[in-house]
Amino acid sequence: MAISPAANRALLPLTSAPTRGSKMAASATMERLRYILVSLLLLHGTDSFYVPGVAPINFHRNDPVEIKAVKLTSSRTQLPYEYYSLPFCQPTKITYKAENLGEVLRGDRIVNTPFQVSMNVEKKCEVLCNFPNKPVILTVEQSKLIAERIREDYYVHLIADNLPVATRLEFYSNREEEEKKKEKDVQFEHGYRLGFMDGNKFYLHNHLSFILYYHREDVEENQEPTYRVVRFEVIPQSIKLEDLKADEKSMCTLPEATGSAPQEIDPSKENQLLFTYSVHWEESDIKWASRWDTYLTMSDVQIHWFSIINSVVVVFFLSGILSMIIIRTLRKDIANYNKEDDIEDTMEESGWKLVHGDVFRPPQYPMILSSLLGSGIQLFCMILIVIFVAMLGMLSPSSRGALMTTACFLFMFMGVFGGFFAGRLYRTLKGHRWKKGAFCTATLYPGVVFGICFVLNCFIWGKHSSGAVPFPTMVALLCMWFGISLPLVYLGYYFGFRKQPYDNPVRTNQIPRQIPEQRWYMNKFVGILMAGILPFGAMFIELFFIFSAIWENQFYYLFGFLFLVFIILVVSCSQISIVMVYFQLCAEDYRWWWRTFLVSGGSAFYVLIYAIFYFVNKLDIVEFIPSLLYFGYTALMVLSFWLLTGTIGFYAAYMFVRKIYAAVKID
């Protein structure tokens, strides 16, 4: 389905490529605790779906409204940079905000700027730097860097009162000609473009027209009126130095729109220019609790409902197949197997009962299997809780980095459940080395993730990007891994291994049964392709919006839809896994342990194919390192998705197998 990029302007970034920062531990925890308390207090006082993550700030007239910079981003390079990596005007003292873990990994480097903005005070045009009569001189190296960033289509991200700046985009939708003259559709673009190209020439947006909307709060008669910022827009302009007439008081005059020339940046020589800005205030009826609605309004909700309906149809289709198997085939099989007078006929029949003596035979490499399933349980618990909490509005977009911070900490703390399930399954599979199994569970999947991220981080370091995780943060993550996650996995594994193993309904023969020759369609690779298509079909539309949020810096906040899609994915994976294991046992192939895990994760193969399709058709990435980052992080996503869906399918198939063999009489 072709969907225009403009239809996705209002998506909140779910995640970005893993990035860097500095301080995170105690302050991040206190911020989350404070946020939860404020959210609970404000829960009953808002009419909006989302609960604000921070307390509102009341401004009086002439109060300073601080404009801060976050970072520079581009969907073409996937490499965020600090704001002052380019020669912008700097304040007398540069102050970076303390960041939580999520902001560190997102690459946010929130820093103060020299913009002087006061509540409800207009500014027509003012020079930003301290030398009104002296233009800023860009060296050849600085000019080349700016030209390169413009060529790479970089966006600048600013915030005012924790509200991100947005560029208004007005366009006509597909209406009749008469309606086109009356109404325009409005979308908002996250941040503003650094500049633009015209042929082989580069032009920098050196003048910013800020438009800030405020809401007047109700106060008593004798009190001074208070205001709250509810929207932050910008109109970037490129104005040539000669057209900006600045005086000694740092004031300037904007030229007429028709007669102005843009500010060109020639990368082969020094360039002179002025950085200027203007401020305009407008009153708005939007209340502070609903100020994010403008950014989060979706113009394509119908597409999401189509996705949900499509997914439900897939699940009903699977449910019909499953019901036919259970009601018709299984009942008939069990009735025939339980007939006492036709024992000889029964023994001659082929079917899943004939492998009852081998169906629970432990597979090869039980430690690795149980470790992977333990990591899958960790992922499942973490994703379920994060999506559910985000659906309730408790991971507000105003709490920057809260989503990723919560996911990281939850994955570590869910290690106790992953260890418990892995330990109990390992004992069921006749394993004895529980300490080695616990260490394998705690390090196998996280070790692969850390290794890939470390290699990619080395390339990001080489590019001097703010997306590079700094060494202290990496050490802190390692300490949390080995200081929190690993002990919790050991604790859960110890109790899981001590617990009574799963009770299998039939005994296992000493001599394994010979497996008959299988038909071509029972090949495991064919099974992966067959089992993966339906769960992928149930969620591929939502996957488009998730990829847009991750790779194109767009907004995503439809966690209600995402939660429904996740539930549908769990149901479809469980059902297709039961169908596939039934067909395998009917073919008298009892080696279902590993195969069920692999086949149930077959939808991850289609996610990989879709990621390649998205890279070729939707993204404009041509350089080596951005391509390496894309496919490196995509490999981590596919691996995690394979573990998640494989674990869901495995446990569904295991319960099904135990159920059907408990229903037949074994002589």
Side-chain angles (χ1 to χ4, degrees):
M1 173 177 288
I3 301 176
S4 65
N8 300 314
R9 299 293 184 192
L11 295 170
L12 180 75
L14 179 64
T15 64
S16 332
T19 50
R20 98 162 186 194
S22 53
K23 303 174 184 176
M24 60 194 182
S27 61
T29 307
M30 293 303 297
E31 260 187 38
R32 293 204 329 276
L33 291 174
R34 183 186 65 180
Y35 152 70
I36 293 173
L37 291 175
V38 173
S39 299
L40 292 174
L41 290 173
L42 295 175
L43 183 59
H44 299 290
T46 62
D47 298 326
S48 176
F49 172 77
Y50 121 87
V51 180
V54 291
I57 298 177
N58 293 324
F59 295 92
H60 298 289
R61 182 177 173 83
N62 292 321
D63 282 354
V65 179
E66 193 172 7
I67 306 295
K68 295 183 179 181
V70 182
K71 58 183 174 182
L72 310 170
T73 63
S74 170
S75 60
R76 296 184 63 182
T77 67
Q78 304 299 328
L79 291 168
Y81 286 95
E82 295 182 22
Y83 179 71
Y84 290 122
S85 64
L86 293 181
F88 292 120
C89 293
Q90 299 182 3
T92 54
K93 182 181 179 182
I94 297 178
T95 306
Y96 285 93
K97 170 186 170 293
E99 296 145 342
N100 58 39
L101 179 61
E103 289 174 317
V104 170
L105 298 179
R106 284 167 49 90
D108 294 352
R109 294 286 284 154
I110 301 177
V111 64
N112 60 330
T113 62
F115 294 104
Q116 300 294 324
V117 178
S118 300
M119 171 56 68
N120 209 6
V121 176
E122 301 272 332
K123 284 189 177 182
K124 290 186 177 180
C125 182
E126 187 168 312
V127 179
L128 188 59
C129 294
N130 297 327
F131 310 100
N133 293 325
K134 296 181 181 179
V136 177
I137 299 177
L138 301 179
T139 64
V140 177
E141 291 75 14
Q142 291 173 334
S143 301
K144 285 182 179 179
L145 184 61
I146 290 179
E148 183 181 355
R149 296 288 181 263
I150 294 174
R151 181 191 292 112
E152 293 169 340
D153 199 19
Y154 266 85
Y155 282 73
V156 183
H157 299 279
L158 306 175
I159 55 174
D161 189 27
N162 204 33
L163 205 60
V165 72
T167 305
R168 179 190 290 261
L169 300 175
E170 295 182 349
F171 58 93
Y172 294 109
S173 60
N174 295 326
R175 297 193 182 99
E176 296 180 0
E177 293 296 329
E178 296 181 358
E179 295 182 355
K180 283 185 179 180
K181 298 178 182 179
K182 299 179 182 178
E183 185 179 354
K184 293 181 180 179
D185 285 337
V186 177
Q187 296 287 345
F188 290 93
E189 195 171 49
H190 194 207
Y192 70 90
R193 289 179 182 270
L194 176 64
F196 61 93
M197 292 182 62
D198 186 6
N200 293 324
K201 294 183 178 181
F202 303 92
Y203 300 96
L204 176 69
H205 285 142
N206 60 321
H207 178 81
L208 302 179
S209 298
F210 294 131
I211 305 174
L212 291 102
Y213 294 77
Y214 65 88
H215 180 76
R216 190 191 300 267
E217 296 298 310
D218 296 330
V219 295
E220 297 181 2
E221 294 182 0
N222 299 328
Q223 290 184 342
E224 185 180 357
T226 59
Y227 310 93
R228 292 178 179 175
V229 179
V230 293
R231 189 188 297 178
F232 183 26
E233 295 181 18
V234 66
I235 300 176
Q237 294 175 268
S238 182
I239 303 176
K240 197 173 182 180
L241 172 64
E242 290 75 11
D243 294 338
L244 284 170
K245 300 175 182 178
D247 57 22
E248 295 180 355
K249 298 180 180 179
S250 297
M251 304 301 292
C252 55
T253 303
L254 292 176
E256 296 291 334
T258 55
S260 63
Q263 175 63 55
E264 182 182 353
I265 300 296
D266 190 344
S268 63
K269 64 179 183 180
E270 291 185 349
N271 292 272
Q272 296 185 359
L273 73 156
L274 284 177
F275 288 102
T276 58
Y277 70 103
S278 60
V279 181
H280 175 63
W281 289 91
E282 289 189 17
E283 188 171 2
S284 173
D285 295 331
I286 299 173
K287 293 184 178 181
W288 185 88
S290 304
R291 67 178 187 164
W292 280 88
D293 291 356
T294 302
Y295 300 85
L296 307 179
T297 299
M298 296 296 299
S299 61
D300 44 18
V301 175
Q302 291 182 351
I303 296 176
H304 278 79
W305 280 118
F306 171 75
S307 171
I308 297 297
I309 294 172
N310 171 65
S311 304
V312 170
V313 169
V314 171
V315 170
F316 273 118
F317 175 73
L318 279 175
S319 300
I321 297 177
L322 196 62
S323 300
M324 182 181 66
I325 291 174
I326 293 176
I327 294 175
R328 293 186 178 182
T329 314
L330 269 181
R331 283 188 177 180
K332 181 181 177 182
D333 289 348
I334 293 172
N336 289 336
Y337 290 153
N338 288 340
K339 285 182 181 179
E340 297 181 358
D341 51 347
D342 294 333
I343 295 178
E344 294 182 359
D345 295 338
T346 304
M347 294 299 293
E348 293 177 359
E349 293 179 2
S350 61
W352 52 269
K353 184 185 177 182
L354 298 184
V355 295
H356 67 84
D358 299 278
V359 72
F360 294 109
R361 185 179 303 280
Q364 289 183 321
Y365 314 112
M367 183 183 296
I368 297 178
L369 178 62
S370 59
S371 299
L372 293 175
L373 290 169
S375 298
I377 292 292
Q378 266 185 280
L379 279 172
F380 176 81
C381 296
M382 180 266 287
I383 293 173
L384 180 65
I385 296 174
V386 166
I387 296 178
F388 182 74
V389 172
M391 181 188 67
L392 298 179
M394 295 180 67
L395 293 179
S396 161
S398 60
S399 298
R400 298 183 179 278
L403 186 71
M404 192 169 291
T405 303
T406 305
C408 291
F409 278 95
L410 270 176
F411 181 79
M412 287 188 294
F413 287 115
M414 291 301 109
V416 66
F417 295 102
F420 178 84
F421 280 90
R424 191 176 183 190
L425 181 65
Y426 183 57
R427 186 177 180 186
T428 304
L429 298 178
K430 304 295 189 296
H432 302 290
R433 297 175 293 176
W434 74 269
K435 292 181 181 179
K436 187 176 180 181
F439 183 79
C440 185
T441 304
T443 57
L444 184 59
Y445 168 70
V448 172
V449 173
F450 184 84
I452 294 177
C453 289
F454 180 79
V455 172
L456 296 178
N457 204 50
C458 292
F459 287 96
I460 303 174
W461 264 331
K463 284 288 188 178
H464 306 288
S465 168
S466 66
V469 179
F471 185 74
T473 306
M474 194 169 293
V475 172
L477 287 172
L478 282 173
C479 292
M480 288 189 291
W481 177 14
F482 289 103
I484 299 176
S485 181
L486 189 138
L488 287 176
V489 170
Y490 264 88
L491 181 66
Y493 210 98
Y494 173 75
F495 285 104
F497 193 78
R498 287 190 60 186
K499 191 174 178 61
Q500 188 73 17
Y502 294 110
D503 184 24
N504 296 327
V506 292
R507 291 194 300 266
T508 302
N509 297 334
Q510 293 183 351
I511 301 176
R513 180 185 179 90
Q514 186 176 359
I515 300 173
E517 185 178 353
Q518 301 294 304
R519 296 183 179 272
W520 66 269
Y521 53 80
M522 294 304 297
N523 184 278
K524 66 175 67 175
F525 297 106
V526 177
I528 288 173
L529 295 177
M530 292 172 57
I533 188 66
L534 289 177
F536 175 77
M539 48 79 71
F540 85 97
I541 295 180
E542 201 67 26
L543 196 65
F544 171 84
F545 295 100
I546 294 174
F547 269 63
S548 299
I550 296 174
W551 301 115
E552 297 188 53
N553 279 309
Q554 296 185 3
F555 294 101
Y556 186 91
Y557 199 60
L558 290 179
F559 290 104
F561 285 107
L562 188 61
F563 183 76
L564 289 176
V565 170
F566 181 72
I567 296 300
I568 291 171
L569 178 67
V570 171
V571 174
S572 59
C573 282
S574 302
Q575 291 178 342
I576 198 68
S577 176
I578 291 173
V579 172
M580 296 303 291
V581 77
Y582 176 77
F583 288 154
Q584 182 180 353
L585 294 177
C586 285
E588 300 180 23
D589 186 356
Y590 53 82
R591 300 170 299 182
W592 62 274
W593 299 89
W594 272 105
R595 180 163 176 170
T596 299
F597 180 65
L598 295 172
V599 167
S600 301
S603 51
F605 172 76
Y606 291 98
V607 173
L608 176 62
I609 298 299
Y610 180 80
I612 297 173
F613 167 81
Y614 191 89
F615 178 84
V616 173
N617 290 274
K618 299 294 182 181
L619 297 180
D620 189 18
I621 297 177
V622 293
E623 296 182 9
F624 170 72
I625 291 182
S627 302
L628 181 68
L629 293 178
Y630 178 87
F631 285 105
Y633 293 131
T634 297
L636 292 180
M637 292 170 55
V638 170
L639 173 64
S640 303
F641 191 76
W642 172 66
L643 279 179
L644 175 69
T645 52
T647 301
I648 294 169
F650 175 85
Y651 277 99
Y654 191 27
M655 289 188 288
F656 171 76
V657 171
R658 291 173 59 198
K659 200 77 174 175
I660 62 173
Y661 282 98
V664 296
K665 296 178 181 179
I666 305 297
D667 296 329

